[in-house]
Amino acid sequence: MQLGLIGLGKMGGNMRERIRRAGHTVIGYDRNPDLSDVSGLTELVGKLEGPRVVWVMVPAGAPTQGVIDELGDLLEPGDTVVDGGNSRWTDDEKHAEELAAKGIGFVDAGVSGGVWGLQNGYALMVGGDAEHIAKVQPIFDALKPEGDAGFVHAGKVGAGHFSKMVHNGIEYAMMQAYAEGWELLEAVHSVTDVREVFRSWQEGTVIRSWLLDLAVNALDEDEHLQQLRGYAEDSGEGRWTVEAAIDNAVPLPAITASLFARFASRQDDSPQMKMVAALRNQFGGHAVESAK
Amino acid sequence: MQLGLIGLGKMGGNMRERIRRAGHTVIGYDRNPDLSDVSGLTELVGKLEGPRVVWVMVPAGAPTQGVIDELGDLLEPGDTVVDGGNSRWTDDEKHAEELAAKGIGFVDAGVSGGVWGLQNGYALMVGGDAEHIAKVQPIFDALKPEGDAGFVHAGKVGAGHFSKMVHNGIEYAMMQAYAEGWELLEAVHSVTDVREVFRSWQEGTVIRSWLLDLAVNALDEDEHLQQLRGYAEDSGEGRWTVEAAIDNAVPLPAITASLFARFASRQDDSPQMKMVAALRNQFGGHAVESAK
Amino acid sequence: MQLGLIGLGKMGGNMRERIRRAGHTVIGYDRNPDLSDVSGLTELVGKLEGPRVVWVMVPAGAPTQGVIDELGDLLEPGDTVVDGGNSRWTDDEKHAEELAAKGIGFVDAGVSGGVWGLQNGYALMVGGDAEHIAKVQPIFDALKPEGDAGFVHAGKVGAGHFSKMVHNGIEYAMMQAYAEGWELLEAVHSVTDVREVFRSWQEGTVIRSWLLDLAVNALDEDEHLQQLRGYAEDSGEGRWTVEAAIDNAVPLPAITASLFARFASRQDDSPQMKMVAALRNQFGGHAVESAK
Amino acid sequence: MQLGLIGLGKMGGNMRERIRRAGHTVIGYDRNPDLSDVSGLTELVGKLEGPRVVWVMVPAGAPTQGVIDELGDLLEPGDTVVDGGNSRWTDDEKHAEELAAKGIGFVDAGVSGGVWGLQNGYALMVGGDAEHIAKVQPIFDALKPEGDAGFVHAGKVGAGHFSKMVHNGIEYAMMQAYAEGWELLEAVHSVTDVREVFRSWQEGTVIRSWLLDLAVNALDEDEHLQQLRGYAEDSGEGRWTVEAAIDNAVPLPAITASLFARFASRQDDSPQMKMVAALRNQFGGHAVESAK
């Protein structure tokens, strides 16, 4: 089938390649003309036969909103828009309503796979009406991994991005789990080969996982991670996961601790610990260290 | 080779079977005569040709200490004792010294695998001197999974149990991660099929793992886990992990949160939340609920 | 001076009394005619001489919005509205703009004091322009405690509610701190009189505070808090504090832990601990407890 | 009465002064001859009339053990030893038994007050038998603050240090609570005078406390704490509190978070966040920062 694909960055570019390998026609658009198959959205829409399916793969927020607004003007009743970017699930219902008013279907798709997706396939969590999803199914089938898993119709509009968001929240805590364990092993003298301990865990243990495999890869490249700074960005989904938990009065202690550890990792100095130091000095005369 | 194996419970019994399948001779002892191959440790030691290897697979603490004391009296210089139970790593050095005084070698072995070990193999993390480990290696090879991973000589005496302890700490936080995500998904209305979301994650995602596969098994048996009470025991290693972290001034927020969630799960009512309720009532006149 | 006061509940009613005791005229309105001095907002506004000051003390969200909309229609340029309720700080700027368009001033006031405020005074944190605050200052002076502290012009519109929100976040963690300590003391056998330990802390310690005094009051009424269920509501500010922290990438581990402890206290059974129990059963054959 | 006081450092020196002001005779010993009244413990014991009371105020662990051993040899049946240092409560029972074997009484005393104790008095939490405590009571009365509070016989031997330990655990979380709130207020633009917000909280609020007063003092000296590094030591009691909680299966999320925040504050770079950064790079190609 034909697919219009908007956004050909690190994710979108590889997805175009994987869909093409499955025998589909992809007309891609990117603001970078070196990557783009067409000059703009008008040309892209013009080259697709109806009923069209257009996949949006641009950053969440204003960029996605802008593309969806434009597609609302260009597309026709019966066409379908897929938002495969990292939109917050609360945006999806709004987008679906805006497009539905023009007879255009909407599907939200959470996509996992990172730089490995081209080779291994992309896990897809989608939300929306079954009739809209059905129109995109051949593309989902091309993108997903080969086995039975890797695709789910999770629920109503928003359920795809919500599920992907929770996936990322879990991911934060799993990464934190391995990271805490690694730091503790590195801290004790009796364990003389932490990397080989991690490697040994890859089979037969309760904690074997793909992330563990990646940890071993990383340790093979740099046994004590001496090249790296202990600095971790967060990309939005972790924050939204905690906010969704608060909205639903669900306690998320491990995921939230993982998010906060990232916040702290990005501070040159910790304001709150300045206050703790100041208080210790006030009541106990404990020595403080001067700011650098 | 010959192995003496003391403790034939859920773990030990299956290990005996797996070692025998690999062609070794196992003489097992258990307090339960229905499980035991011999009447006692004296008979067990008498049936083994020197240099002997005896694997202790009994509960940590007093039971393990008792067996090791008895073996210290029965074995001869050149023999080797393996503690494959869940001993605290701080016990290992003491056991090694006691046995070394009699010329007997000591290896501590952390064993992971649970009820799946007979089929899949047991992951082994061992600590001790290379010469002692070498004497047990054929048994380790029989127990471990088939691939390259699943066995590590982690370091000095104690390093095996320490590594296994950290493994379990990581396990606590990974389980908590999936559990938090599952609760949040179950709490929202847009996601209508949480079980299928979990199933979909088994391929192509960042969070695919053996524990995730087990979660899907559990949801297949009981989609909303309605049969279960939200009550989780802890088996010691999680506590020791946090204590080791404190000893080494390593922050473990996610692992510790996971341990505390288990503590809280076992309380019929939370004393600390009684105090919070009492304080809210005192300053704000906020309503309190009566104890049941 | 004259003040219009809308909302005469637990807080508003006592505030009317305290302001009157200071010699000011308060015309109060409440939906409950037994509490109200007037029949409605029109009568209330009509009875005040300009430039008027009207203090809104109704629940955050729709009720506050409704009153502010109505006042926008009834008041005149030069009048001032104070929102002394528990509005989210993000609402304040919107309210200020709506009223400013009609020449009406706006001040947001966070009010602390609870049931003790009538006697001890109310701590006030206010945000807005100095000229608007000046018009309300006699009322603030009547409400605040007698000492130097208890009132602050914290910053721009929204800063009053933001500061009060953070106050409440701190309050959550302080209550949790005492509650955790109390539970631990109650758990050990060597400490035979926990209530007297708390009482002793009221002088000379680092942790003496008004909340500690309240804790002692509570323990004097019910030494082991046996009458209470360990169940704590939360009133919005704790949630907003964590959300504000996330927006600003500020780690708040203790405050967030306190919020989550309240969430957990309200669950009859913990869904996430069902999943932990299910996983333990899957990999280790560990026993589970049946749901009640 | 007469008191022997061993250890005349920051705490002990001021305590000697406060006891003397109350009219008692204090014979103090310190390793530093400039501070000491006597040349050694033998001389100190010789100068006291029986039945003697000797107060030990030296660092926990080996120093306290050494002094208690020496006193065990020098004192006579009917004498009493008070350990007023920061000993771990688990040491107390051992010390009590060692001394009881020689007919010497033992009292453990947790002492709070820091550099303010000379002026305000020291809060005292004591454990032991009533008959031993009675012999020291005049000294306790001299040390404690003037009001009704500030002294408690908390329970059996060990209960004094245990209560003081929990006091410090609560202190950690209270300091963290104010520190988190301060950091959040400093992070937002609408609040333009954070110091004055803190000052305003000193009266009429739920969170007024002595620690808050100290926070205001600290901000008066350095409004944004720019002179300080965000670096906080911990002195043992926080760690022991968490360990005691683990022993008793009591969840302490806020206190533990506060302890971990201190651990993290002392790391130049976070090993665990290196691992998180490495994993993000492995699966997502996310950029990492190089170690400095």
Side-chain angles (χ1 to χ4, degrees):
Chain A
M1 66 174 276
Q2 281 186 318
L3 178 75
L5 178 57
I6 300 168
L8 301 168
K10 200 159 53 177
M11 287 289 282
N14 280 343
M15 289 166 65
R16 175 172 62 174
E17 176 62 20
R18 187 170 170 96
I19 299 167
R20 282 181 175 165
R21 286 184 189 171
H24 300 294
T25 302
V26 182
I27 300 169
Y29 170 72
D30 196 274
R31 289 188 308 177
N32 178 347
D34 294 344
L35 303 173
S36 195
D37 302 324
V38 291
S39 61
L41 294 196
T42 306
E43 185 185 348
L44 179 139
V45 169
K47 286 201 168 181
L48 296 169
E49 293 168 28
R52 301 173 190 85
V53 175
V54 181
W55 187 298
V56 182
M57 203 69 198
V58 303
T64 293
Q65 184 67 54
V67 169
I68 284 176
D69 288 346
E70 209 174 334
L71 289 174
D73 293 337
L74 294 169
L75 295 175
E76 295 175 354
D79 292 348
T80 304
V81 170
V82 182
D83 180 5
N86 282 323
S87 292
R88 190 176 166 128
W89 87 99
T90 44
D91 291 341
D92 292 322
E93 204 166 338
K94 182 166 161 284
H95 294 158
E97 285 174 10
E98 286 167 8
L99 293 170
K102 300 178 177 178
I104 304 168
F106 177 82
V107 174
D108 61 288
V111 181
S112 180
V115 294
W116 299 77
L118 174 58
Q119 175 186 328
N120 295 349
Y122 296 88
L124 301 163
M125 295 139 256
V126 309
D129 291 348
E131 62 168 319
H132 301 138
I133 290 168
K135 291 179 181 171
V136 197
Q137 194 67 50
I139 302 300
F140 293 144
D141 291 343
L143 285 170
K144 73 179 281 293
E146 286 193 5
D148 291 335
F151 174 84
V152 67
H153 177 187
K156 301 172 197 168
V157 163
H161 280 133
F162 194 94
S163 299
K164 173 56 165 52
M165 177 195 79
V166 174
H167 164 282
N168 283 30
I170 294 171
E171 174 192 305
Y172 276 48
M174 287 177 66
M175 289 165 72
Q176 180 71 20
Y178 290 117
E180 292 181 4
W182 183 75
E183 178 170 338
L184 182 54
L185 286 172
E186 287 276 333
V188 297
H189 296 296
S190 65
V191 179
T192 51
D193 201 336
V194 176
R195 180 174 58 181
E196 293 312 306
V197 172
F198 263 62
R199 194 190 314 284
S200 80
W201 287 344
Q202 291 181 280
E203 289 184 56
T205 67
V206 176
I207 62 173
R208 60 190 189 265
S209 75
W210 189 62
L211 270 169
L212 178 66
D213 297 342
L214 296 183
V216 172
N217 288 354
L219 296 176
D220 278 340
E221 291 172 11
D222 180 6
E223 183 174 351
H224 300 291
L225 304 179
Q226 287 168 319
Q227 311 293 326
L228 294 179
R229 194 175 146 212
Y231 178 103
E233 295 284 355
D234 71 281
S235 55
E237 284 93 348
R239 299 181 184 209
W240 300 338
T241 302
V242 178
E243 289 170 0
I246 289 173
D247 287 344
N248 289 282
V250 169
L252 292 196
I255 291 174
T256 306
S258 308
L259 178 66
F260 287 166
R262 293 193 183 189
F263 289 172
S265 80
R266 302 201 297 263
Q267 297 182 320
D268 276 335
D269 200 0
S270 165
Q272 62 192 238
M273 299 318 289
K274 287 172 183 263
M275 176 55 87
V276 170
L279 288 170
R280 295 185 79 237
N281 177 257
Q282 286 285 332
F283 71 72
H286 298 291
V288 292
E289 298 217 352
S290 296
K292 290 172 208 172
Chain B
M1 64 174 277
Q2 281 187 316
L3 179 75
L5 177 57
I6 300 168
L8 301 168
K10 200 159 54 179
M11 287 288 283
N14 280 343
M15 289 166 66
R16 175 172 62 175
E17 177 62 20
R18 186 168 171 97
I19 298 167
R20 283 180 173 163
R21 287 183 190 171
H24 300 294
T25 302
V26 181
I27 300 169
Y29 169 72
D30 195 276
R31 289 187 311 177
N32 179 347
D34 295 343
L35 302 173
S36 195
D37 302 323
V38 291
S39 62
L41 295 196
T42 307
E43 185 185 348
L44 180 138
V45 169
K47 286 202 167 180
L48 296 169
E49 293 168 28
R52 302 173 189 85
V53 175
V54 181
W55 186 298
V56 182
M57 203 69 198
V58 302
T64 293
Q65 183 68 54
V67 170
I68 285 177
D69 288 345
E70 208 173 334
L71 288 174
D73 293 338
L74 293 170
L75 294 176
E76 295 175 354
D79 292 348
T80 303
V81 171
V82 182
D83 179 5
N86 282 324
S87 292
R88 190 173 166 130
W89 87 99
T90 45
D91 291 341
D92 292 322
E93 204 166 337
K94 182 166 160 285
H95 293 157
E97 285 174 9
E98 287 166 8
L99 293 169
K102 299 177 176 180
I104 304 166
F106 178 82
V107 174
D108 60 288
V111 181
S112 180
V115 294
W116 300 77
L118 175 57
Q119 175 186 327
N120 295 349
Y122 297 88
L124 301 163
M125 295 139 254
V126 309
D129 291 347
E131 61 168 320
H132 301 138
I133 290 168
K135 291 178 181 170
V136 197
Q137 194 67 50
I139 303 301
F140 292 145
D141 292 341
L143 285 170
K144 71 180 283 294
E146 286 193 5
D148 292 335
F151 174 83
V152 68
H153 178 188
K156 301 172 195 168
V157 162
H161 280 134
F162 195 94
S163 299
K164 174 57 166 50
M165 177 195 79
V166 174
H167 165 281
N168 283 31
I170 293 171
E171 174 192 304
Y172 276 48
M174 287 177 65
M175 290 165 71
Q176 181 70 20
Y178 290 117
E180 292 181 3
W182 182 74
E183 179 170 337
L184 182 54
L185 286 171
E186 286 276 334
V188 297
H189 296 296
S190 64
V191 179
T192 52
D193 200 336
V194 175
R195 180 174 58 181
E196 293 312 307
V197 171
F198 263 63
R199 194 190 313 283
S200 81
W201 287 344
Q202 292 180 279
E203 289 184 54
T205 68
V206 176
I207 62 172
R208 61 192 189 264
S209 75
W210 189 63
L211 270 170
L212 178 66
D213 297 342
L214 295 183
V216 172
N217 288 354
L219 296 175
D220 278 340
E221 291 172 12
D222 181 4
E223 182 174 351
H224 300 290
L225 303 180
Q226 287 169 320
Q227 311 293 325
L228 294 180
R229 194 175 146 213
Y231 178 104
E233 295 285 354
D234 72 280
S235 55
E237 284 93 348
R239 300 181 183 210
W240 300 338
T241 303
V242 178
E243 289 170 0
I246 289 173
D247 287 343
N248 289 282
V250 169
L252 292 196
I255 291 173
T256 306
S258 309
L259 178 66
F260 286 165
R262 294 192 183 190
F263 288 172
S265 80
R266 303 201 297 264
Q267 297 182 321
D268 275 335
D269 200 359
S270 165
Q272 62 191 236
M273 299 318 289
K274 288 172 182 264
M275 177 54 87
V276 170
L279 287 170
R280 294 185 79 237
N281 177 257
Q282 286 285 332
F283 71 71
H286 299 291
V288 293
E289 299 216 353
S290 296
K292 292 171 208 172
Chain C
M1 65 175 277
Q2 281 187 316
L3 179 75
L5 177 57
I6 301 168
L8 301 168
K10 198 159 53 178
M11 286 288 283
N14 279 343
M15 288 166 65
R16 175 172 62 175
E17 177 61 20
R18 187 169 172 95
I19 299 167
R20 283 180 175 165
R21 288 183 189 172
H24 300 294
T25 302
V26 181
I27 301 169
Y29 170 71
D30 195 275
R31 288 187 310 177
N32 178 346
D34 294 344
L35 302 174
S36 194
D37 302 323
V38 289
S39 62
L41 295 196
T42 307
E43 185 184 349
L44 180 139
V45 170
K47 286 201 167 181
L48 296 169
E49 292 168 28
R52 302 172 189 86
V53 175
V54 181
W55 186 297
V56 182
M57 203 68 197
V58 303
T64 293
Q65 183 68 53
V67 169
I68 284 177
D69 289 345
E70 209 174 333
L71 288 174
D73 292 338
L74 292 170
L75 294 176
E76 295 175 355
D79 291 349
T80 304
V81 170
V82 181
D83 179 6
N86 282 323
S87 292
R88 189 176 167 128
W89 88 98
T90 44
D91 291 342
D92 293 321
E93 203 166 338
K94 183 165 159 285
H95 294 158
E97 285 174 10
E98 287 167 8
L99 294 169
K102 300 177 177 179
I104 304 167
F106 178 81
V107 174
D108 61 287
V111 181
S112 180
V115 295
W116 299 78
L118 174 57
Q119 174 187 328
N120 295 349
Y122 296 88
L124 301 163
M125 295 140 256
V126 309
D129 290 348
E131 62 168 319
H132 301 139
I133 290 168
K135 293 180 180 169
V136 197
Q137 194 67 50
I139 302 300
F140 292 145
D141 291 342
L143 285 170
K144 71 179 283 294
E146 287 194 6
D148 291 334
F151 174 83
V152 66
H153 178 187
K156 302 172 196 168
V157 163
H161 279 134
F162 195 93
S163 299
K164 174 58 165 51
M165 176 195 79
V166 174
H167 164 281
N168 283 31
I170 293 171
E171 174 192 304
Y172 276 48
M174 288 177 64
M175 291 165 71
Q176 180 71 19
Y178 289 117
E180 292 181 4
W182 182 74
E183 178 171 339
L184 181 54
L185 286 171
E186 286 276 333
V188 297
H189 297 296
S190 65
V191 179
T192 52
D193 201 336
V194 175
R195 181 175 57 181
E196 293 312 305
V197 171
F198 263 63
R199 193 189 314 283
S200 80
W201 287 343
Q202 291 181 281
E203 288 183 56
T205 67
V206 176
I207 64 173
R208 60 191 190 264
S209 75
W210 188 63
L211 271 170
L212 178 67
D213 296 342
L214 296 184
V216 172
N217 288 354
L219 296 176
D220 277 340
E221 292 172 12
D222 181 5
E223 183 175 350
H224 300 291
L225 303 180
Q226 287 168 321
Q227 311 293 327
L228 294 179
R229 194 175 146 212
Y231 178 103
E233 295 285 355
D234 71 281
S235 55
E237 284 93 347
R239 299 181 183 211
W240 300 337
T241 303
V242 178
E243 289 170 0
I246 289 173
D247 286 345
N248 290 281
V250 169
L252 293 196
I255 291 174
T256 306
S258 309
L259 178 66
F260 286 166
R262 294 192 182 189
F263 288 173
S265 80
R266 303 200 297 263
Q267 297 182 320
D268 277 334
D269 200 359
S270 165
Q272 61 192 235
M273 299 317 289
K274 288 173 181 263
M275 176 54 86
V276 170
L279 287 170
R280 293 186 80 237
N281 178 257
Q282 287 285 331
F283 71 71
H286 299 290
V288 293
E289 298 217 351
S290 296
K292 291 170 209 173
Chain D
M1 64 175 277
Q2 280 187 316
L3 179 75
L5 177 57
I6 300 168
L8 301 169
K10 199 159 52 179
M11 286 288 282
N14 280 343
M15 289 166 65
R16 176 172 60 176
E17 176 62 20
R18 186 169 172 98
I19 299 167
R20 283 181 174 164
R21 288 183 189 171
H24 299 293
T25 302
V26 181
I27 301 169
Y29 170 71
D30 195 275
R31 289 187 310 178
N32 179 347
D34 295 344
L35 303 173
S36 195
D37 302 323
V38 290
S39 62
L41 294 196
T42 307
E43 185 185 348
L44 180 140
V45 169
K47 285 201 167 180
L48 295 169
E49 292 169 28
R52 302 173 189 85
V53 175
V54 181
W55 186 298
V56 182
M57 203 69 197
V58 302
T64 293
Q65 183 67 55
V67 170
I68 285 177
D69 288 345
E70 209 173 335
L71 289 173
D73 293 337
L74 294 170
L75 294 176
E76 295 175 353
D79 292 347
T80 304
V81 170
V82 182
D83 179 5
N86 282 323
S87 292
R88 190 174 166 130
W89 88 100
T90 45
D91 291 342
D92 293 321
E93 203 165 339
K94 183 167 160 283
H95 294 156
E97 285 175 9
E98 287 167 8
L99 293 169
K102 300 177 177 180
I104 304 166
F106 178 82
V107 174
D108 60 287
V111 182
S112 180
V115 294
W116 299 78
L118 174 57
Q119 174 186 330
N120 296 349
Y122 297 88
L124 301 163
M125 296 139 254
V126 309
D129 290 348
E131 62 168 320
H132 300 139
I133 290 168
K135 292 179 180 170
V136 197
Q137 195 66 53
I139 303 300
F140 293 145
D141 291 342
L143 285 170
K144 72 179 283 294
E146 287 193 5
D148 292 334
F151 174 83
V152 68
H153 178 187
K156 302 172 195 167
V157 163
H161 280 134
F162 195 94
S163 299
K164 173 58 164 52
M165 177 195 78
V166 173
H167 164 282
N168 284 30
I170 293 171
E171 173 193 305
Y172 276 48
M174 287 178 65
M175 289 165 71
Q176 180 71 20
Y178 290 117
E180 292 180 3
W182 183 74
E183 178 171 339
L184 182 54
L185 286 172
E186 286 276 334
V188 297
H189 297 297
S190 64
V191 179
T192 52
D193 201 337
V194 176
R195 180 174 59 181
E196 293 312 305
V197 171
F198 263 63
R199 193 189 314 283
S200 80
W201 288 343
Q202 291 181 281
E203 288 184 55
T205 67
V206 177
I207 63 173
R208 61 191 189 264
S209 75
W210 189 62
L211 270 171
L212 178 66
D213 297 342
L214 296 184
V216 173
N217 287 355
L219 296 175
D220 278 340
E221 291 172 12
D222 180 5
E223 183 174 351
H224 300 291
L225 304 180
Q226 287 168 319
Q227 310 293 326
L228 294 179
R229 193 174 146 212
Y231 179 103
E233 295 284 354
D234 71 282
S235 55
E237 285 93 348
R239 299 181 183 209
W240 299 338
T241 302
V242 178
E243 288 170 0
I246 289 173
D247 286 345
N248 290 282
V250 169
L252 292 196
I255 291 174
T256 307
S258 309
L259 178 66
F260 286 166
R262 294 192 184 190
F263 289 172
S265 81
R266 303 201 297 264
Q267 297 182 319
D268 277 334
D269 200 359
S270 166
Q272 62 191 235
M273 299 318 289
K274 288 172 182 263
M275 176 55 87
V276 170
L279 287 169
R280 294 186 78 238
N281 177 257
Q282 287 286 330
F283 71 71
H286 298 293
V288 292
E289 299 217 352
S290 296
K292 289 170 206 172

